């Protein structure tokens, strides 16, 4: 029987780059389930984050004891239930006591509801968007897919923020000029296919400085975005074709299907972050592997340190 190989070591390279970075204070909302608590403890032991657990104190301690998990000196802020945990975790960020926010075992909608609350949340001028940071064994570098989890049917204006959020993240990971492929079903502009119109507009907006810091190309079908040979056959001349860092999808359904195909058919590992708030939000799922959860923390830590550096130079 052939063994299944997940990832290629690209995530581990992120961990190496985090070794010289100080652990980032992180509010963890409602870690009331074994896998959520285990991921936090692992990330703390790797000195990626300095967590503060927010949730029902007695329940968290009970889960840790039942599963032989050592909380050590990790502080716990008591909150009665998941809704209160989300609100309190967001408050810790607003107060400057933590610089990252991490989802525990509560529903994503509960956490993001607290994040987008108009008076007490973590809103900025940007729209929130989600990125999957994927380690695909058949691709030569880390690949980002956005947005596959938050914006259902993004407008052109939404896509500008989705694109810029992803670009800023990749730059924080150390790449000076990332390549963005704007995906559609075809590589030509067609008025009957709105995704191609949006792609063309996004490219022109990048030319005019409305999107900055990246090389943007589109519309590109998935084959000629990922394969330089496919692009060559179709006569497409592009710096992005065959070498994108970011895949910007037409809508959530397309992105979600693509990310899950890469995970389940190409054995990719995927880390998840929400961008566009005051701080990066580590968004993990119970179904995620430990490796993916740790990678999510590592990416968020690098983004947080890049943010600190930027603020220090302003």
């Amino acid at each position: 029987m052939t063994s299944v190989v997940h990832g290629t070591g690209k995530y581990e390279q992120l961990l190496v780059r985090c070794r010289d970075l100080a652990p980032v204070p992180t509010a963890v909302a409602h870690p009331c389930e074994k896998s959520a608590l285990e991921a936090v403890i692992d990330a703390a032991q790797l000195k990626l984050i300095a967590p503060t657990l927010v949730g029902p104190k007695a329940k968290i301690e009970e889960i840790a004891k039942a599963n032989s998990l050592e909380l050590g000196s990790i502080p716990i802020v008591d909150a009665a239930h998941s809704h209160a945990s989300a609100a309190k975790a967001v408050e810790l960020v607003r107060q400057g006591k933590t610089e990252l926010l991490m989802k525990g075992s509560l529903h994503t909608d509960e956490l993001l509801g607290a994040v987008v609350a108009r008076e007490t949340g973590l809103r900025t001028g940007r729209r929130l968007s989600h990125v999957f940071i994927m380690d695909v064994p058949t691709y030569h570098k880390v690949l980002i897919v956005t947005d596959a989890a938050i914006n259902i049917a993004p407008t052109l204006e939404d896509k500008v923020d989705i694109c810029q959020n992803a670009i800023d993240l990749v730059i924080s990971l150390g790449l000076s000029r990332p390549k963005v492929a704007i995906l559609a079903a075809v590589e030509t502009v067609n008025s009957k296919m709105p995704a191609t119109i949006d792609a063309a507009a996004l490219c022109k907006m990048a030319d005019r400085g409305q999107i900055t810091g990246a090389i943007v190309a589109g519309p590109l079908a998935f084959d000629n975005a990922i394969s330089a040979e496919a692009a060559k056959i179709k006569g497409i001349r592009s710096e992005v074709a065959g070498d994108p860092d970011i895949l910007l999808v037409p809508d959530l359904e397309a992105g979600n299907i693509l990310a899950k195909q890469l995970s389940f058919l190409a054995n990719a590992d995927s880390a998840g972050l929400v961008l566009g708030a005051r701080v990066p939000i580590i968004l993990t799922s119970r179904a995620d592997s430990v490796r993916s959860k740790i990678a999510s923390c590592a990416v968020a830590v690098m983004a947080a340190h890049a943010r600190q550096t930027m603020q220090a130079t302003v």
Side-chain angles (χ1 to χ4, degrees):
M1 182 175 177
T2 304
S3 61
V4 176
V5 177
H6 287 267
T8 61
K10 303 183 191 85
Y11 281 176
E12 285 69 24
Q13 292 170 21
L14 291 176
L15 294 179
V16 170
R17 292 168 61 189
C18 287
R19 282 179 185 167
D20 296 328
L21 300 177
V24 178
T26 303
V28 185
H30 206 70
C32 295
E33 189 267 335
K34 179 190 174 184
S35 65
L37 198 53
E38 199 169 23
V40 173
I41 293 170
D42 287 349
Q45 289 175 342
L46 287 168
K47 301 188 184 306
L48 293 171
I49 62 173
T52 296
L53 310 181
V54 184
K57 188 172 189 290
K59 186 174 182 180
I60 292 170
E61 291 174 340
E62 180 186 332
I63 292 166
K65 184 177 179 181
N67 293 282
S68 301
L69 299 174
E70 291 292 334
L71 292 176
S73 59
I74 296 175
I76 302 175
V77 175
D78 196 29
H81 45 69
S82 57
H83 184 76
S85 300
K88 185 62 181 178
V90 166
E91 183 183 336
L92 291 176
V93 176
R94 285 178 61 90
Q95 292 173 344
K97 294 178 180 178
T98 60
E99 297 169 33
L100 288 175
L101 181 62
M102 183 174 182
K103 177 192 169 192
S105 55
L106 75 175
H107 290 295
T108 299
D109 287 350
E110 278 188 286
L111 182 61
L112 294 186
V115 169
V116 301
R118 195 165 296 278
E119 299 299 326
T120 58
L122 302 173
R123 286 171 174 260
T124 67
R126 292 264 186 95
R127 188 170 185 85
L128 291 187
S129 62
H130 180 271
V131 294
F132 277 119
I133 304 102
M134 309 202 76
D135 182 356
V136 186
T138 52
Y139 194 64
H140 58 281
K141 56 183 173 180
V142 169
L143 187 63
I144 287 180
V145 177
T146 190
D147 178 339
I150 292 181
N151 294 283
I152 296 172
T155 64
L156 174 62
E157 289 74 19
D158 295 337
K159 288 178 182 179
V160 172
D161 282 350
I162 292 169
C163 189
Q164 193 67 61
N165 285 342
I167 291 167
D168 292 349
L169 174 67
V170 175
I171 290 172
S172 76
L173 299 181
L175 189 62
S176 61
R177 196 163 174 77
K179 299 174 182 178
V180 183
I182 314 295
L183 297 185
V186 296
E187 62 279 352
T188 53
V189 177
N190 185 328
S191 63
K192 295 178 182 178
M193 302 178 76
T196 68
I197 302 293
D198 284 354
L202 289 167
C203 290
K204 182 51 68 177
M205 293 169 90
D207 289 344
R208 299 287 173 87
Q210 290 171 270
I211 297 170
T212 61
I215 304 167
V216 181
L220 290 169
F222 183 76
D223 58 346
N224 47 60
I226 290 295
S227 168
E229 183 62 25
K232 183 179 178 182
I233 290 169
K234 292 191 176 182
I236 298 169
R237 296 179 181 178
S238 169
E239 290 182 71
V240 174
D243 193 41
D245 300 286
I246 299 164
L247 299 178
L248 194 149
V249 298
D251 55 35
L252 184 146
E253 287 179 318
N256 196 272
I257 290 168
L258 172 57
K260 287 177 179 175
Q261 281 178 328
L262 291 174
S263 293
F264 287 91
L265 291 178
N267 301 326
D269 280 331
S270 62
L273 287 184
V274 173
L275 308 170
R278 290 191 192 179
V279 298
I281 302 166
I282 303 165
L283 204 64
T284 60
S285 164
R286 281 181 295 177
D288 288 344
S289 67
V290 172
R291 185 170 179 270
S292 291
K293 290 175 180 178
I294 295 300
S296 296
C297 291
V299 173
V301 164
M302 293 178 71
H305 276 279
R307 180 171 167 270
Q308 291 171 358
T309 301
M310 184 178 68
Q311 289 176 339
T313 58
V314 172

